Amino acid sequence: HYAYVSNLAVDTPRVPFVTFSDWTDRLKSTGSIFPTMPANLNNAWSNLYEARFLAGLVAGVFAKKYNMTVIGYISALRNPQVVSGLNAFARGVYIANPNVIIRNRVINNYYDPYTERQCALTFASEGIRLLAHHTDSKEPENVMNNIGGYSIGSNSDALQYQVGERVLTAPIFYWQKVLDNFVQSALDNGGKVGGISTTGGIAAGIVGLVPLTFYVPAEATVLVQQWTERFK
């Protein structure tokens, strides 16, 4: 959507725009030509992989406590954002529990409730009872909840969607701080603000974990607190 909004910003130069997109990062990572950002366009993204690392710590400790040998993971795509998140999650898992295996499947879509559900059911049929994902529906959490398993959510607090407390936690964006800064900048400059590209992670308060549910072992809570401080 960044390219679309960028064109729109050029066509309506008196209106400030804000996008939340990793499009600029993807251009840089591939060595592509980076276009000049319109003067009235702002873009923000985050190091969400930092939060996925913390989620991996939770998953690793949980799997160790309950003698789970495999953790399932559903990936949306094979792109830098998803792969970096998976790698960070895996690193967190293996710091907490080097003896567990992560089994990953890619569904080639960010939002496909049917395929997400079928993928989760496949993991369930293989005996997996702890499932993380980087997709956008709540079907993976629903499947695990229905069979008495557990899950790590993605990009939202599944408790708000009444999935249940078997969702141990979830990486999440906290965009309010970024939006507040953009709006205040616009107010301070007579509505003229743009050309700002913002990024950051835990230290900037842009990403984190939703509150851990009571199923999460105390050891995981301590690890998350320790590593959160290290990121700062």
Side-chain angles (χ1 to χ4, degrees), residues 97 144 149 193 210:
N97 182 2
M144 286 293 115
V193 60
V210 301

Side-chain angles (χ1 to χ4, degrees), residues 2 7 40 43 48 64 75 82 85 122 144 174 179 182 192 194 208 226 231:
Y2 177 90
N7 291 332
N40 58 325
N43 185 67
L48 188 62
K64 180 170 61 176
S75 291
V82 176
T122 298
M144 286 293 115
Y174 292 110
L179 285 170
F182 282 144
K192 297 178 181 179
Q226 290 174 342
F231 276 116

Side-chain angles (χ1 to χ4, degrees), residues 56-71 90-102 130 219 223:
L57 295 173
V58 174
V61 172
F62 191 87
K64 180 170 61 176
K65 179 175 181 179
Y66 292 101
N67 299 313
M68 297 176 173
T69 58
V70 182
I71 298 171
R91 185 164 180 78
V93 166
Y94 293 136
I95 285 174
N97 182 2
N99 298 314
V100 73
I101 295 170
I102 299 171
L130 177 56
E219 179 187 348
L223 269 179

Side-chain angles (χ1 to χ4, degrees), residues 46-221:
S46 73
N47 304 334
L48 188 62
Y49 56 83
E50 294 178 8
R52 294 197 185 279
F53 169 83
L54 297 182
L57 295 173
V58 174
V61 172
F62 191 87
K64 180 170 61 176
K65 179 175 181 179
Y66 292 101
N67 299 313
M68 297 176 173
T69 58
V70 182
I71 298 171
Y73 196 98
I74 302 174
S75 291
L77 300 166
R78 294 180 178 87
N79 66 18
Q81 180 195 158
V82 176
V83 173
S84 66
L86 173 59
N87 287 344
F89 177 82
R91 185 164 180 78
V93 166
Y94 293 136
I95 285 174
N97 182 2
N99 298 314
V100 73
I101 295 170
I102 299 171
R103 188 174 298 162
N104 178 54
R105 288 191 170 96
V106 182
I107 66 166
N108 297 313
N109 204 326
Y110 275 112
Y111 183 76
D112 184 344
Y114 174 80
T115 304
E116 290 174 65
R117 178 174 179 79
Q118 293 305 117
C119 189
L121 287 170
T122 298
F123 277 127
S125 71
E126 296 168 348
I128 289 174
R129 293 299 180 267
L130 177 56
L131 178 62
H133 68 109
H134 187 159
T135 52
D136 287 342
S137 88
K138 295 294 161 280
E139 287 306 307
E141 291 96 323
N142 285 327
V143 169
M144 286 293 115
N145 191 57
N146 291 340
I147 66 170
Y150 301 85
S151 59
I152 303 287
S154 181
N155 298 349
S156 65
D157 186 351
L159 289 177
Q160 295 180 0
Y161 296 90
Q162 300 179 338
V163 175
E165 293 197 350
R166 289 180 177 273
V167 184
L168 304 180
T169 187
I172 196 168
F173 298 105
Y174 292 110
W175 291 127
Q176 187 62 50
K177 183 177 180 180
V178 176
L179 285 170
D180 286 347
N181 290 340
F182 282 144
V183 170
Q184 190 60 54
S185 181
L187 291 174
D188 293 341
N189 292 279
K192 297 178 181 179
V193 60
I196 302 172
S197 184
T198 300
T199 190
I202 291 171
I206 298 177
V207 302
L209 292 181
V210 301
L212 309 182
T213 56
F214 68 86
Y215 287 107
V216 175
E219 179 187 348
T221 302

Side-chain angles (χ1 to χ4, degrees), residues 21-41:
S21 170
D22 67 338
W23 187 72
T24 54
D25 290 340
R26 276 185 277 159
L27 282 178
K28 293 175 184 177
S29 70
T30 59
S32 301
I33 297 173
F34 188 73
T36 301
M37 184 180 291
N40 58 325
L41 174 63

